[in-house]
Amino acid sequence: METVGFIADNLDLIAALTVEHVSIVGVAVGLAILTGVPIGIAITQNRKVADAVLYTAGVLITIPSIALFGVLIPILSTIGHGIGYLPAVIAVLLYSQLPIIRNTYTAINNVDPALREAARGMGMRPLERLRRVEIPLAVPVIMAGVRTAVVINIGVTAIAAYIGAGGLGTLISRGISQTDPRQLVAGALAVSLLAIVADYALLWAQKRLTPSGVRA
Amino acid sequence: MITLDKLTKVFETANGPVTAADHVSMEVPEGEICILLGPSGCGKTTALKMINRLIPKTSGKIFINGRDTDEQNVTELRRGIGYVIQQIGLFPNMTIVDNICVVPDMLGWDRAKSRKRAMELLEMVNLDPAVFANRFPKELSGGQQQRVGVVRALAADPPVMLMDEPFGAIDPINREVIQDEFLKLQKEFRKTIMFVSHDIDEAVKMGDKVAIFRAGKLEQFDSPDNVLAHPANPFIADFVGSDRTLKRLRLVTVGQAMFDAPAVTEDDTLDRAAGVMRDLDHDFVVVTDRHGRPDGYVRQAVAEAKHGTIAEHHARLPVTVEAGQDLRTAVSQMFTHDVTWLAVTDSQGRYQGVVTQQGITHLLGKTYGAAATAGTAAAAE
Amino acid sequence: MTTAVIAFRRAPGLRHLLTLLLVFALGMGVQASGLVTDIMDYWGDIVFLSQQHMVLVLVSGGLAIVTGVSLGILLSRPAMRRWAEAVMQVLNIGTTIPTLAVLALSMTLLGLGFTPAVFGLWLATLLPITRNTYQGLLAVPPALKEAATGMGMGSGRMLLKVELPNALFVIFAGIRTALAVNVGTVPLAFLIGGGGLGELIFTGIDLAEPGMMLAGAIPTALLAILVDFLVGQGQMWLIPRGVNPLR
């Protein structure tokens, strides 16, 4: 009951923290799409490079986020941004690489070879083929990767509150340090809700982006 | 022996009850293969699966070797029935030999004994045990897997086998080979088998009896030849196909259609050859060599117009058939070589007689004639 | 040289190890500036907290495997079919909840200390295992079950001999994901009094003490990579060849 009261009294604060949270995830995942999709497409050209890239991204995502922050802080301190927004965005950017690169790579690789041959037979050049056949077919799978990245990183960003990045994690961290269950529960609920809403919204987007011809 | 007595299955569906088996009664004698045949959804698979109680029956009785299956424990019943399905269902987590020994192991057989039998069975289907016994199913081709599927059903030596379109997923060439192998196994083991198929050719080839189903009803239960020669109704005639007479060719051996025709040898004179032809009212005669093998033939026109020994004037035979082969092969050879008759040999290649197009037509026509007379007789009564 | 390259490509295990060494060397190289001595000042803490860290992983992960697999089996039984999909929906939503939130909620329920930490970690680890066990069992081809039933196999024997072995690879994949989540979350357990290497990281951040931070961060990262490596090896070698796509 107290928690409900707290939430009602602090809607403005919660809204502001949500905006902060979303902006970190949004900017970083947006950047990750800009880097990850081209990388994913590029590595379809060479199996060995693909293995190496996917493997590196796989190791990166295994590293616990707080440990990654711990490593980033001393490095970024050298340019005066050890804590705050920048390390949070960089961490999210790095964690988003695996799902986005992997899904792009798999999607492009899984395009039916017959389609590729048909496109070539019609005289499409490689870039035309990519733009008109392969990418449209790959978009839903890439979106699934984006969705995974967003859900993971809403959690990562919550932890980034501990390095002063703001966001809904602030409520949780304050709730823990001040042993204030109201803030803690409000923060936990808000961040969970954000993750669930984002998951469903992106699922919806993923379905909308699936060309109607290949929808299940 | 498998006996079905007024076996009935009614499925309750959203659109009301559907009868998948409607008072089906039949009897498969010991050691015979009965093919359950019909279009999809006709109830043949339902009938089969009621026997090992994978589908509970609504009413009726099932007896195996005279024993009412209702009185048996379901597990015990199933372990005593070999079961082969189209998807094969080999367990990917077990090696081939462990797959084969699943039922013997459940029955508590001695391990060494069951493994030994598994090896023997593998050998019987031309899979070298040394190579295949310890492989996993995914390391075998589809045809090899299905051979193992059949062998697995035989492992515990059940008197009865149920086979649900066992060769349906195999490519046509391999299917023929596996069917032949299976018939060879059956010759040795003499199991009582219920076998579901939707392929009339398979039914004709494999079945001692054929049971044709439509909409849950058993429409005809007869020998393959009778089903082809005398379809009980237009549905069956249509189902077995307008080329059903050609299909019957498979069921008759060359030996059955062959008749004796004396041969001549190379040393005989053309006059003698002409005499033989006149006696037989044939316009040809077969020439055999010293070992009694057909070597050529002499045409009537040649024999009457010329003189001398046969060795100087005989023509070569383009092809011969063995008495054990089916008529389909014989007819096919006739068409291929544009001839109206063939010399028939035994398995050693020795001359036996001849088979002619006219003779085949006459033989196939005889049963139709008999049916027509029977029909007339029935109408007269 | 060639053989080394081939071995490198054939054995992902070797690759993992090389990477471990590389990361280690890199960490050493970059921090040669004097941070190494700073980090080594915390050696005693590193050893003690690493042990706490591993105990948290083993206890919560072990419990999660046992309960997750059992729950997955239970949900896959025909008698549960009516509820199973609804439960899976809840579990799917559960997996999207950030782990920090799970730990925070665990603390409001159970307070501070080892138990709430284990409970929170267990909960976060449980879901992927349950989900994969359930889906893995459901994905066992119906033909296998029909063949087994037709041969007179009972349901218990079928579960042990047919269903579980054929779902094992999927179950293991779930365990791998779950343990990665678990190991990634363990450093946060410090926040609710669970101990572990998170203590060095969070305290280091608060005190702006890079040596302390790295003394926690580097072993945490190495432990995470090590656990993933071990589970990956387990997936490779513990699952029988017949049902293991990796072999």
Side-chain angles (χ1 to χ4, degrees):
Chain A
M1 224 41 237
E2 275 179 76
T3 311
V4 177
F6 175 85
I7 293 173
D9 292 343
N10 293 283
L11 274 180
D12 287 355
L13 174 66
I14 293 173
L17 291 174
T18 306
V19 170
E20 262 179 22
H21 208 106
V22 170
S23 83
I24 293 173
V25 176
V27 168
V29 174
L31 287 174
I33 296 174
L34 292 181
T35 56
V37 172
I39 293 177
I41 294 173
I43 60 176
T44 54
Q45 298 304 310
N46 186 319
R47 179 77 200 277
K48 272 186 216 164
V49 175
D51 282 349
V53 168
L54 289 174
Y55 177 68
T56 313
V59 171
L60 255 177
I61 211 170
T62 325
I63 297 173
S65 49
I66 192 68
L68 185 62
F69 292 139
V71 175
L72 283 177
I73 291 172
I75 297 172
L76 293 174
S77 293
T78 55
I79 55 163
H81 286 282
I83 58 168
Y85 185 75
L86 189 64
V89 168
I90 291 181
V92 172
L93 182 66
L94 291 175
Y95 284 135
S96 303
Q97 295 303 313
L98 181 69
I100 294 175
I101 294 178
R102 186 182 50 200
N103 281 33
T104 307
Y105 172 73
T106 323
I108 302 266
N109 254 2
N110 282 358
V111 168
D112 187 348
L115 287 182
R116 204 165 285 162
E117 197 177 312
R120 209 170 33 212
M122 283 181 241
M124 280 192 203
R125 278 189 289 273
L127 278 180
E128 282 175 324
R129 202 172 71 212
L130 199 62
R131 191 170 57 83
R132 301 182 60 153
V133 180
E134 293 173 357
I135 292 183
L137 285 171
V139 161
V141 186
I142 297 174
M143 271 310 291
V146 170
R147 182 173 152 223
T148 312
V150 166
V151 171
I152 292 176
N153 285 308
I154 287 176
V156 170
T157 304
I159 298 163
Y162 280 94
I163 57 162
L168 288 165
T170 316
L171 284 174
I172 301 179
S173 78
R174 270 196 235 141
I176 292 175
S177 60
Q178 300 166 8
T179 40
D180 177 1
R182 296 173 314 162
Q183 287 190 59
L184 191 151
V185 173
L189 287 182
V191 82
S192 305
L193 201 63
L194 182 62
I196 293 167
V197 168
D199 190 35
Y200 277 97
L202 289 169
L203 180 63
W204 179 81
Q206 184 185 331
K207 283 185 179 153
R208 284 298 302 269
L209 283 172
T210 309
S212 48
V214 291
R215 249 176 242 173
Chain B
M1 190 169 73
I2 306 172
T3 313
L4 308 184
D5 183 20
K6 301 196 193 75
L7 188 61
T8 301
K9 176 70 195 180
V10 181
F11 284 111
E12 296 298 338
T13 67
N15 305 324
V18 172
T19 307
D22 191 357
H23 294 82
V24 173
S25 296
M26 59 195 275
E27 196 172 283
V28 185
E30 195 158 338
E32 287 198 359
I33 300 180
C34 170
I35 311 283
L36 308 184
L37 190 65
S40 59
C42 68
K44 56 192 193 296
T45 300
T46 307
L48 185 87
K49 289 185 179 176
M50 281 191 282
I51 298 172
N52 63 358
R53 301 207 339 228
L54 284 178
I55 296 178
K57 58 186 163 59
T58 305
S59 66
K61 289 267 175 210
I62 300 167
F63 301 90
I64 291 180
N65 291 335
R67 234 180 120 189
D68 187 345
T69 56
D70 287 339
E71 284 159 19
Q72 267 173 290
N73 170 289
V74 66
T75 310
E76 200 182 303
L77 172 78
R78 287 174 183 162
R79 288 179 189 178
I81 298 177
Y83 188 47
V84 186
I85 57 178
Q86 183 181 347
Q87 307 89 326
I88 314 176
L90 294 185
F91 304 127
N93 52 309
M94 299 179 195
T95 59
I96 297 307
V97 71
D98 286 341
N99 260 292
I100 297 173
C101 294
V102 167
V103 177
D105 285 349
M106 287 193 295
L107 292 171
W109 284 20
D110 175 52
R111 261 185 89 83
K113 183 182 139 197
S114 62
R115 301 296 173 239
K116 186 163 163 280
R117 180 168 163 84
M119 301 293 177
E120 289 165 6
L121 287 167
L122 276 176
E123 210 141 347
M124 294 182 77
V125 290
N126 299 319
L127 294 175
D128 182 1
V131 176
F132 291 100
N134 291 313
R135 286 205 184 167
F136 284 97
K138 70 173 178 189
E139 295 160 334
L140 269 61
S141 72
Q144 291 168 336
Q145 289 188 21
Q146 192 52 285
R147 287 180 175 90
V148 176
V150 169
V151 159
R152 178 171 71 172
L154 286 166
D157 203 18
V160 167
M161 280 176 78
L162 305 177
M163 306 177 81
D164 188 1
E165 303 208 17
F167 311 132
I170 296 168
D171 67 274
I173 295 170
N174 265 308
R175 193 188 307 150
E176 290 270 339
V177 177
I178 296 185
Q179 284 169 343
D180 293 337
E181 279 175 9
F182 183 70
L183 286 175
K184 232 160 63 189
L185 280 181
Q186 168 66 356
K187 224 175 211 170
E188 167 143 359
F189 290 122
R190 309 291 308 160
K191 302 291 180 197
T192 310
I193 297 170
M194 283 271 208
F195 184 124
V196 166
S197 175
H198 62 254
D199 176 2
I200 174 75
D201 290 311
E202 184 172 59
V204 167
K205 178 172 182 180
M206 310 287 289
D208 296 303
K209 291 270 172 23
V210 177
I212 300 184
F213 285 78
R214 177 171 61 160
K217 280 203 167 69
L218 179 57
E219 296 271 334
Q220 188 169 4
F221 180 55
D222 217 326
S223 71
D225 193 45
N226 270 336
V227 168
L228 291 174
H230 313 298
N233 56 43
F235 162 75
I236 293 174
D238 189 45
F239 185 78
V240 298
S242 49
D243 62 340
R244 60 197 157 90
T245 304
L246 286 183
K247 287 178 175 130
R248 289 183 62 213
L249 292 174
R250 260 211 131 112
L251 295 168
V252 188
T253 61
V254 170
Q256 288 170 283
M258 173 190 86
F259 48 85
D260 295 329
V264 292
T265 66
E266 295 186 351
D267 305 329
D268 288 326
T269 60
L270 282 177
D271 287 342
R272 177 165 152 61
V276 170
M277 282 184 262
R278 266 195 303 278
D279 289 349
L280 285 169
D281 195 20
H282 276 180
D283 55 2
F284 64 88
V285 64
V286 174
V287 181
T288 54
D289 64 11
R290 275 199 310 285
H291 310 285
R293 288 186 296 239
D295 188 41
Y297 69 104
V298 180
R299 255 175 264 150
Q300 192 174 28
V302 173
E304 310 231 308
K306 300 191 174 162
H307 296 281
T309 62
I310 287 171
E312 293 162 7
H313 295 287
H314 76 278
R316 304 210 63 80
L317 284 168
V319 66
T320 60
V321 288
E322 280 183 22
Q325 288 180 297
D326 61 29
L327 278 187
R328 195 159 158 259
T329 315
V331 170
S332 168
Q333 294 289 17
M334 287 179 184
F335 289 158
T336 307
H337 297 282
D338 192 20
V339 293
T340 56
W341 61 273
L342 295 170
V344 181
T345 67
D346 64 11
S347 54
Q348 264 86 48
R350 285 185 302 255
Y351 176 71
Q352 297 287 301
V354 295
V355 58
T356 64
Q357 268 182 16
Q358 214 183 355
I360 293 170
T361 314
H362 185 69
L363 182 82
L364 294 178
K366 247 197 311 202
T367 61
Y368 292 122
T373 345
T376 331
E381 272 169 21
Chain C
M1 182 58 208
T2 344
T3 38
V5 170
I6 290 169
F8 183 77
R9 252 192 276 146
R10 286 225 179 117
L14 202 69
R15 270 197 317 210
H16 272 85
L17 259 171
L18 278 175
T19 317
L20 265 179
L21 288 175
L22 208 73
V23 169
F24 195 69
L26 208 74
M28 285 313 195
V30 169
Q31 311 307 336
S33 49
L35 270 174
V36 176
T37 30
D38 289 356
I39 295 171
M40 291 323 271
D41 284 346
Y42 297 99
W43 185 248
D45 290 333
I46 292 175
V47 172
F48 176 74
L49 293 172
S50 292
Q51 283 167 1
Q52 265 190 353
H53 204 89
M54 284 318 285
V55 168
L56 280 170
V57 172
L58 290 175
V59 172
S60 62
L63 285 174
I65 292 173
V66 173
T67 41
V69 171
S70 315
L71 192 58
I73 292 174
L74 195 69
L75 286 171
S76 73
R77 296 303 90 190
M80 293 294 291
R81 191 133 303 162
R82 292 176 54 203
W83 316 106
E85 280 307 317
V87 174
M88 287 322 292
Q89 277 292 325
V90 174
L91 291 188
N92 280 334
I93 293 173
T95 39
T96 56
I97 296 178
T99 49
L100 181 63
V102 175
L103 283 179
L105 293 172
S106 166
M107 182 183 121
T108 53
L109 283 178
L110 300 171
L112 290 169
F114 181 75
T115 315
V118 167
F119 178 76
L121 289 169
W122 169 80
L123 198 61
T125 314
L126 180 69
L127 306 183
I129 299 180
T130 308
R131 190 178 51 191
N132 275 41
T133 305
Y134 171 76
Q135 283 168 352
L137 287 171
L138 278 204
V140 172
L144 294 188
K145 293 189 232 173
E146 188 190 327
T149 315
M151 292 160 93
M153 226 183 246
S155 53
R157 191 193 293 261
M158 181 144 78
L159 178 67
L160 284 179
K161 294 257 176 179
V162 178
E163 292 180 82
L164 280 177
N166 284 291
L168 202 57
F169 190 77
V170 181
I171 297 175
F172 235 96
I175 292 178
R176 190 171 182 178
T177 312
L179 285 183
V181 172
N182 182 301
V183 173
T185 312
V186 168
L188 307 181
F190 158 73
L191 298 173
I192 62 168
L197 287 162
E199 184 174 332
L200 288 172
I201 308 176
F202 284 106
T203 320
I205 292 171
D206 278 349
L207 302 176
E209 188 81 62
M212 193 178 192
M213 227 166 355
L214 290 171
I218 293 172
T220 302
L222 289 178
L223 273 179
I225 295 171
L226 182 71
V227 167
D228 190 58
F229 164 71
L230 289 178
V231 182
Q233 289 298 297
Q235 194 174 19
M236 180 96 153
W237 300 113
L238 291 181
I239 299 175
R241 189 155 53 94
V243 286
N244 191 340
L246 295 178
R247 281 208 271 159

